Amino acid sequence: MKTLAHDELKSLTEWEQGPCISIYLPRHQALSDYREDPIHLRNMLDQAETALQERGMGTGEIRTLLEPARKIQNDGNFWGRGPAQGICILLAPGMFQQYDLFYQCPQSLTVEDSFYVNPLFFKVYENDHFDLLAVCPKSVRLIRHQNGELKQLELPDNIPANIEAISSKTQFEESLQHHTTSHVGPGSDNASMLHGHGLTKELNETLLTDYFQILAKQLEKYLDNDGPPMILIASEKQQSMFRKHYHAKNLLEQGISTSPDHLNEQELYEAALPVIEQITGEPLRKARELYQKHLGTSRITHQLEAILQAADEGRIETLFAPLGSELWGQPPGDGELVKTHDQPVNGDIALLNRAIRNTYKHGGIPYVVAESDMPEDKPVAAYLRW
């Protein structure tokens, strides 16, 4: 599932040709419940239709505007089970976009003169570009994760595909036979054994050492030293043998000590999740550390009035807002305090959405995060450029 690209986010944040309808709907994952999803969408579209009528739009215009979403509502194939945990539907005159979301977004509907983009910024600044290197005597796989997708990369011929690829190049004259017994678990050596007629244990170890040395050196020549972080998945013993000869700085110190022999791409990804979570969360951790470092200075504010003004003026470097949280009201004039509501009344606009859009349009970074990841227990917080 692809991550929303920044050029798309830029276009959405700058769109101001209303009316703009923004729909976010969490997807039911249980087979017994997912049929409720099209019903929820139908109800939200009915609410949007009422809101558009109150704006003075005619019946024909409304039908045309909502037609792409009505097609989704009635498309049984669309609602079949899949990896998406949520959907986003954006509609405006001359524009329609639908995005699958890989997280459970709160259900919401807004009809304003701009799109409601807050949920689209959830996790968008996570570093999702990394490699999984799964090695054992039987196989070598380099799997790249980027934009939410896993893809196995094709390796050049000079990189041994397995231990048998180098056995013919050694000084051993014995006829080798290779078989693998698999045991998946932390510290497993995959019980990989080489058997030859008269081949001693010492020669077996030498061949295994040669294999990992050649593999490491050829991979180091092939891969970019400044490439994405790489997680090594191999048995504990073979981790050590490979790392002895591989010195590129993108190889992470922490690997996954298990045999990758019988794990598919998704299973390799799941096995590496403890390390992956450290990689993906690094940008947010650094942003929170910078915020904490400047606590008590004029660079930090959680006052909504100050944040709205700073966002308008392009003075916000980093903005933090919780996923699913919104404050509704009217933008304040100079020196005025904002009166906010939990739900829109009397033409209120989504004020956090405005702050996020303007922060992003001026090159700042809006982090929409889980409430527990906020740098302070506040509805919104900002680190200012000046």
Side-chain angles (χ1 to χ4, degrees):
M1 190 174 304
K2 292 186 177 180
T3 303
L4 195 61
H6 281 280
D7 57 350
E8 293 177 271
L9 279 171
K10 185 173 186 296
S11 175
L12 295 176
T13 56
E14 294 178 349
W15 187 283
E16 294 183 347
Q17 301 174 36
C20 297
I21 301 164
S22 307
I23 294 173
Y24 293 88
L25 184 66
R27 295 283 301 272
H28 286 86
Q29 299 301 298
L31 186 62
S32 59
D33 296 330
Y34 83 91
R35 290 183 179 85
E36 297 177 15
D37 296 341
I39 298 173
H40 290 309
L41 178 57
R42 181 193 66 197
N43 293 337
M44 296 176 80
L45 291 173
D46 290 345
Q47 295 171 30
E49 186 171 337
T50 300
L52 292 170
Q53 290 171 349
E54 293 173 352
R55 280 175 164 251
M57 285 190 71
T59 303
E61 289 179 292
I62 294 174
R63 185 181 298 112
T64 299
L65 181 56
L66 299 182
E67 182 180 5
R70 292 291 189 191
K71 287 182 178 179
I72 290 177
Q73 170 200 322
N74 297 315
D75 185 353
N77 292 329
F78 178 88
W79 299 104
R81 292 190 69 191
Q85 296 186 49
I87 61 171
C88 166
I89 296 175
L90 305 176
L91 300 146
M95 205 278 264
F96 163 68
Q97 293 289 350
Q98 184 271 315
Y99 300 103
D100 288 330
L101 306 177
F102 60 90
Y103 50 89
Q104 284 276 317
C105 59
Q107 182 171 318
S108 69
L109 163 70
T110 61
V111 181
E112 294 191 354
D113 292 326
S114 58
F115 287 119
Y116 191 77
V117 296
N118 291 26
L120 295 180
F121 281 92
F122 183 64
K123 295 182 178 292
V124 78
Y125 288 100
E126 287 190 345
N127 179 17
D128 82 332
H129 189 192
F130 55 85
D131 289 341
L132 304 176
L133 178 61
V135 298
C136 65
K138 189 175 181 180
S139 65
V140 178
R141 286 176 288 168
L142 182 62
I143 299 165
R144 178 150 295 172
H145 185 279
Q146 190 170 14
N147 292 331
E149 294 185 332
L150 291 168
K151 180 181 179 182
Q152 183 168 337
L153 302 184
E154 186 175 347
L155 297 174
D157 293 338
N158 65 329
I159 295 176
N162 49 49
I163 199 167
E164 291 178 349
I166 72 160
S167 63
S168 61
K169 300 178 182 179
T170 67
Q171 60 184 344
F172 307 127
E173 297 178 355
E174 290 88 351
S175 171
L176 295 176
Q177 299 171 346
H178 180 213
H179 74 265
T180 303
T181 59
S182 177
H183 172 70
V184 177
S188 165
D189 276 351
N190 198 35
S192 180
M193 296 180 292
L194 293 169
H195 291 279
H197 300 297
L199 194 61
T200 67
K201 179 180 179 181
E202 290 75 14
L203 291 180
N204 272 322
E205 287 295 319
T206 300
L207 182 56
L208 198 62
T209 300
D210 287 349
Y211 167 64
F212 281 104
Q213 179 178 358
I214 294 171
L215 175 62
K217 290 188 175 299
Q218 293 298 334
L219 277 171
E220 189 172 328
K221 290 178 182 178
Y222 172 66
L223 297 175
D224 184 358
N225 186 57
D226 295 317
M230 187 163 69
I231 303 169
L232 178 62
I233 304 177
S235 72
E236 186 173 352
K237 178 181 178 181
Q238 293 163 11
Q239 288 257 351
S240 177
M241 299 177 79
F242 181 86
R243 290 176 184 276
K244 182 178 180 180
H245 302 287
Y246 189 90
H247 305 296
K249 62 184 181 181
N250 66 319
L251 179 63
L252 300 182
E253 290 185 11
Q254 183 178 356
I256 304 300
S257 295
T258 190
S259 170
D261 190 7
H262 291 292
L263 300 180
N264 61 31
E265 290 182 3
Q266 186 61 34
E267 289 168 334
L268 290 170
Y269 175 85
E270 293 171 359
L273 273 177
V275 182
I276 291 170
E277 288 171 354
Q278 295 180 30
I279 298 172
T280 57
E282 186 65 18
L284 176 59
R285 280 195 295 272
K286 289 183 177 179
R288 291 175 59 189
E289 288 173 2
L290 189 61
Y291 182 98
Q292 297 291 339
K293 180 180 178 180
H294 288 86
L295 269 176
T297 73
S298 60
R299 301 284 293 276
I300 300 297
T301 182
H302 51 76
Q303 297 296 325
L304 181 58
E305 295 84 359
I307 287 173
L308 288 169
Q309 182 176 351
D312 289 346
E313 296 170 354
R315 293 191 292 112
I316 294 182
E317 180 66 29
T318 310
L319 183 71
F320 301 89
L323 177 67
S325 175
E326 187 53 80
L327 297 172
W328 299 85
Q330 294 295 326
D334 290 340
E336 291 182 353
L337 295 177
V338 182
K339 294 182 179 179
T340 62
H341 312 102
D342 293 333
Q343 297 295 328
V345 296
N346 300 324
D348 283 352
I349 69 167
L351 296 175
L352 296 187
N353 186 60
R354 174 174 173 142
I356 287 172
R357 290 176 60 245
N358 285 333
T359 294
Y360 190 70
K361 285 195 290 186
H362 288 99
I365 299 177
Y367 284 101
V368 175
V369 298
E371 192 170 343
S372 59
D373 286 329
M374 289 289 290
E376 285 193 275
D377 185 17
K378 304 291 182 183
V380 62
Y383 169 63
L384 305 179
R385 288 171 171 157
W386 69 86

